[in-house]
Amino acid sequence: MTAKPMTKTQLVATLAEEMGSDKKSASAALDAISAVITREVSNGGAVTLPGIGKVFTRERPARTVLNPATGEQIHKDADKVVKVTIAKALKDSVNG
């Protein structure tokens, strides 16, 4: 069984401890990072978080999908999805 994911409150507290700062500054830093990533990715760019991974958008072409409830085929328009590729250093730290 896996542990529960860290909540934002827990993340802010841990970040403040690591930074040697108060929770207000840590929360502001986390919010700023989130805002930068959101702005860049929504504008079609990509953001690399060193040691963690890369956040970017990928375009999906128009396609035909199957409605699982009715079995009916439905046309789905092209859209964009947010993707995250995990850095090798993080993968290695988990597996090694």
Side-chain angles (χ1 to χ4, degrees):
M1 181 90 18
T2 60
K4 289 184 179 180
M6 186 180 277
T7 65
K8 182 178 179 182
T9 304
Q10 292 168 332
L11 180 59
V12 167
T14 305
L15 188 59
E17 187 178 310
E18 287 287 323
M19 291 171 48
S21 174
D22 60 347
K23 290 180 184 177
K24 187 174 181 180
S25 298
S27 181
L30 184 61
D31 290 341
I33 291 170
S34 177
V36 168
I37 292 171
T38 301
R39 183 177 63 239
E40 287 299 314
V41 171
S42 65
N43 288 331
V47 177
T48 300
L49 300 168
I52 297 172
K54 181 178 179 182
V55 182
F56 60 98
T57 58
R58 183 178 73 81
E59 293 192 21
R60 281 196 294 197
R63 61 203 181 279
T64 303
V65 296
L66 190 66
N67 181 340
T70 64
E72 178 186 5
Q73 289 189 345
I74 302 169
H75 176 75
K76 184 154 168 99
D77 293 332
D79 61 350
K80 295 179 183 178
V81 291
V82 176
K83 294 287 193 174
V84 178
T85 56
I86 305 302
K88 185 175 183 334
L90 183 57
K91 288 180 191 177
D92 291 345
S93 71
V94 170
N95 292 320

